[in-house]
């Protein structure tokens, strides 16, 4: 299981990079990972399902990965939408460093990983992909989603992968209640024990 410390800004233990070979955007890629982060040994099941199920991100504009880990979602977005600007956010400093380093390893100049507060609050996002950190607790999760989902651009969509037994259906209901009438919240698919939720912002 992942380190218990991956929600902290500065995880305990040495920051020792280790190589990882994974498939991203249909090709085998070499990246780096470390202890003290989420899913350090590969792409976790939820993220793999998200990447397999969702349609391509917006080809241009601003894209966002909430809770980037070592970067599999952000890197895939950047590979699939080379003309878009990809923002990746995490509270864990190791994750931010690794995502930026992995983007450089793959020659992706269109990825910027940072802490949430370092993203310009005026930026609006055409596509959001996230395997949100459910285990941080309901209140913190709700605050996190309400920080980012209202920043969808008109016509934009957020795609979230959530395990059924970790509250995907109640999260869907809550999002439908708290977001204003310009948003629609739907369950797009179910794969294994995961659901893909879509939050859409009206075009006008």
């Amino acid at each position: 299981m992942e380190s218990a410390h991956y929600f902290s800004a500065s995880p305990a233990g040495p920051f020792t990079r280790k190589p990882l070979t994974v498939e991203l955007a249909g090709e085998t890629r070499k990246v780096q990972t470390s202890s003290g982060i989420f899913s350090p040994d590969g792409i976790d099941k939820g993220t793999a399902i998200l990447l397999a199920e969702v349609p391509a991100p917006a080809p241009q504009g601003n894209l966002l990965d909430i809770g980037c880990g070592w970067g599999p979602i952000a890197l895939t977005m950047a590979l699939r939408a080379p003309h878009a600007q990809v923002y990746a956010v995490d509270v864990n400093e190791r994750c931010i460093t690794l995502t930026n380093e992995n983007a450089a390893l793959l020659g992706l100049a269109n990825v910027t990983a940072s802490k949430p507060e370092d993203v310009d609050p005026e930026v609006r996002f055409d596509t959001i992909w996230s395997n949100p950190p459910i285990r941080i607790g309901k209140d913190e999760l709700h605050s996190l989603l309400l920080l980012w989902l209202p920043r969808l651009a008109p016509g934009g969509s957020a795609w979230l992968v959530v395990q059924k037994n970790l509250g995907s259906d109640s999260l869907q209901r809550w999002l439908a209640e708290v977001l204003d009438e310009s948003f629609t919240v739907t369950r797009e698919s179910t794969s294994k024990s995961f659901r893909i939720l879509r939050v859409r912002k009206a075009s006008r």
Side-chain angles (χ1 to χ4, degrees):
M1 189 61 189
E2 307 85 30
S3 163
H5 304 292
Y6 66 78
F7 296 132
S8 65
S10 300
F15 184 5
T16 304
R17 293 161 180 80
K18 59 182 181 180
L20 181 67
T21 301
V22 291
E23 184 174 302
L24 297 172
E27 290 188 22
T28 300
R29 321 270 180 180
K30 293 185 182 298
V31 296
Q32 296 184 124
T33 181
S34 168
S35 62
I37 67 171
F38 176 66
S39 195
D41 299 320
I43 299 175
D44 65 286
K45 288 181 183 177
T47 296
I49 287 169
L50 178 80
L51 295 176
E53 298 267 334
V54 298
Q60 296 179 319
N62 300 313
L63 316 180
L64 174 67
D65 171 13
I66 306 169
C68 60
W70 55 262
I73 291 174
L75 299 172
T76 299
M77 291 178 119
L79 288 162
R80 295 181 67 182
H83 300 294
Q85 178 61 45
V86 179
Y87 292 78
V89 294
D90 208 295
V91 298
N92 184 320
E93 292 168 355
R94 264 180 218 186
C95 293
I96 294 166
T97 298
L98 286 167
T99 297
N100 283 322
E101 289 180 352
N102 286 333
L105 281 173
L106 298 179
L108 299 170
N110 59 330
V111 176
T112 302
S114 69
K115 293 180 179 179
E117 59 268 26
D118 294 334
V119 177
D120 182 346
E122 298 302 314
V123 173
R124 294 297 176 262
F125 300 99
D126 300 281
T127 303
I128 297 173
W129 287 358
S130 181
N131 180 0
I134 300 295
R135 297 179 190 275
I136 60 176
K138 184 179 288 187
D139 290 345
E140 286 196 48
L141 174 68
H142 287 180
S143 296
L144 180 69
L145 294 176
L146 287 180
L147 173 65
W148 296 110
L149 294 179
R151 292 165 68 175
L152 277 170
S157 287
W159 301 83
L160 313 175
V161 62
V162 184
Q163 235 177 316
K164 286 189 285 188
N165 66 358
L166 293 181
S168 61
D169 293 349
S170 60
L171 181 64
Q172 180 184 346
R173 289 192 296 270
W174 176 79
L175 287 170
E177 290 170 5
V178 298
L179 295 172
D180 68 41
E181 63 276 3
S182 68
F183 294 90
T184 57
V185 183
T186 53
R187 182 196 307 160
E188 290 295 307
S189 64
T190 300
S191 181
K192 299 174 183 172
S193 60
F194 292 87
R195 299 210 197 280
I196 303 285
L197 305 181
R198 182 183 186 186
V199 179
R200 263 180 293 190
K201 171 79 171 176
S203 297
R204 48 183 299 172

